[in-house]
Amino acid sequence: MHPGQYPQARPQMPPQPRYAQPQPFQQPRYRTRVRWVASPPPGAWPARRAKGAERYAGPPSYAAIPRWGFPNLTWRSPTAVPGTASDVASPLQRVRMIARNTAPMLWILAVLGLVAGGSEIWRYVLLVQSRASALNTGVVATSDSLLLTSSLLTSVFSLVPVVLALWWLFVARVAAADAVGENPPRSSRQVLAGFLVPVVNLVMAGSIIAELEHAVLSRPSARRPSPSRLVLGWWAAWIVNWVLLVVVLWWRTQDGVQAQADGTVLTALLDLSAVALAVVTALLIRRFTGLLAPMDARKLRSFRVVKVDGAPDPALRAVRSHGGVR
């Protein structure tokens, strides 16, 4: 550097940008969810005007007699419209309908069984009297006719209440299961086998009725059924009736006068047990039906307008309007 010269500034280089080292892609541990909601700002829509109370202008008036109206029928419940879902009866309605037809049949069967049992007892009395003296021909003929007629009617007529009672049982199981929101504990085949298969029905029939009572009373399904006295009485009558039936069928195969006399007594006991079973079954059906469908058809009354007191006389129409029905 010579004297009298100033040092010259070294030209500066522009700063070089520094690039960051690329980092490996890392997926976030938690993914945030964002929901966009668009809402108009306040004042974007005009405020609705409040409607004032409408003024009453009187009852509606028509230029002619309206052609529409309610049907000319009494009040009924429920209203069944053909071709719709209301036309199909619910299980509760069917239970009430079947029970209404089954109970009288069971009482008639009880009366027939009582007559048949009485005729058997009369036959046994005549057998005892025949050991010491001769019998009147008319009395014996009357006893034979009464015994034959009552036994035949009881045997044939018993099929009707048995079928109706089984039908009621199947429908009541469905209605009770629908009421508690569960399925029946047994299938229809198991129930049918539990009542018709010999020896098995002695145990299964009472269990099925106890399960039905458990469902009718809306008790928890996890709880073990505890049958009431009515169910236990029905179960005992059921077992006694079937045992006497088997004994009578076996005893009828024996020969001898004493065997015939003993067979008459056993048949009378069988008829009386059938009467007890029919009566207890009718009471059982009435109790369960009352719990499932409390409405009693005998307490319903049809509403009908008989007389109106204090109503003003209708105004007579002097001029018939155009299009009105004469």
Side-chain angles (χ1 to χ4, degrees):
M1 178 182 298
H2 298 280
Q5 291 183 355
Y6 295 97
Q8 295 181 357
R10 184 176 298 179
Q12 298 181 359
M13 301 296 293
Q16 299 293 332
R18 297 182 179 180
Y19 298 95
Q21 296 294 333
Q23 299 292 335
F25 176 74
Q26 296 181 358
Q27 187 176 2
R29 297 179 60 184
Y30 302 99
R31 184 178 181 182
T32 59
R33 298 182 178 179
V34 180
R35 181 181 180 185
W36 296 93
V37 179
S39 58
W45 300 100
R48 296 182 178 180
R49 297 181 181 179
K51 294 183 180 180
E54 298 181 358
R55 184 179 179 182
Y56 177 70
S61 59
Y62 303 93
I65 298 178
R67 300 296 182 90
W68 56 268
F70 295 102
N72 189 15
L73 299 173
T74 58
W75 180 83
R76 57 187 180 181
S77 177
T79 303
V81 181
T84 60
S86 61
D87 192 18
V88 181
S90 62
L92 291 178
Q93 296 175 359
R94 288 189 294 166
V95 164
R96 194 183 304 113
M97 178 189 65
I98 299 172
R100 192 184 308 136
N101 298 327
T102 306
M105 296 297 176
L106 289 171
W107 288 111
I108 294 175
L109 178 61
V111 173
L112 292 177
L114 192 62
V115 174
S119 62
E120 293 286 350
I121 295 175
W122 188 16
R123 168 64 66 86
Y124 183 77
V125 172
L126 294 178
L127 290 176
V128 173
Q129 292 179 357
S130 64
R131 297 178 59 184
S133 61
L135 300 177
N136 189 2
T137 308
V139 175
V140 175
T142 304
S143 175
D144 293 340
S145 302
L146 181 60
L147 179 61
L148 180 61
T149 304
S150 59
S151 300
L152 183 61
L153 288 177
T154 304
S155 302
V156 175
F157 188 80
S158 61
L159 298 176
V160 178
V162 167
V163 173
L164 289 177
L166 287 176
W167 186 17
W168 175 89
L169 176 63
F170 285 106
V171 178
R173 292 175 64 253
V174 176
D178 293 343
V180 298
E182 297 179 357
N183 296 325
R186 301 179 188 271
S187 63
S188 301
R189 294 182 178 179
Q190 293 178 353
V191 173
L192 193 61
F195 274 88
L196 300 181
V197 176
V199 181
V200 178
N201 56 3
L202 299 179
V203 180
M204 295 295 298
S207 301
I208 293 172
I209 298 299
E211 292 172 356
L212 177 60
E213 183 188 29
H214 189 83
V216 167
L217 296 176
S218 300
R219 293 176 179 174
S221 57
R223 181 179 174 184
R224 185 177 181 179
S226 57
S228 60
R229 293 182 179 180
L230 182 59
V231 175
L232 292 177
W234 180 90
W235 201 349
W238 173 267
I239 295 176
V240 170
N241 187 43
W242 274 93
V243 171
L244 286 176
L245 178 61
V246 174
V247 172
V248 167
L249 293 178
W250 175 77
W251 202 271
R252 288 296 183 181
T253 59
Q254 305 296 324
D255 297 330
V257 179
Q258 187 62 37
Q260 293 180 2
D262 295 340
T264 303
V265 176
L266 291 175
T267 306
L269 294 177
L270 176 62
D271 294 335
L272 295 180
S273 67
V275 171
L277 181 60
V279 172
V280 178
T281 304
L283 297 177
L284 191 73
I285 291 177
R286 185 181 66 178
R287 179 174 181 268
F288 286 1
T289 304
L291 293 174
L292 286 173
M295 184 177 60
D296 191 359
R298 295 175 298 179
K299 297 181 181 180
L300 296 179
R301 296 180 180 179
S302 300
F303 295 95
R304 184 181 61 178
V305 179
V306 179
K307 185 179 179 182
V308 179
D309 296 331
D313 297 334
L316 299 178
R317 186 176 58 181
V319 180
R320 184 171 65 90
S321 58
H322 179 70
V325 180
R326 188 180 295 273

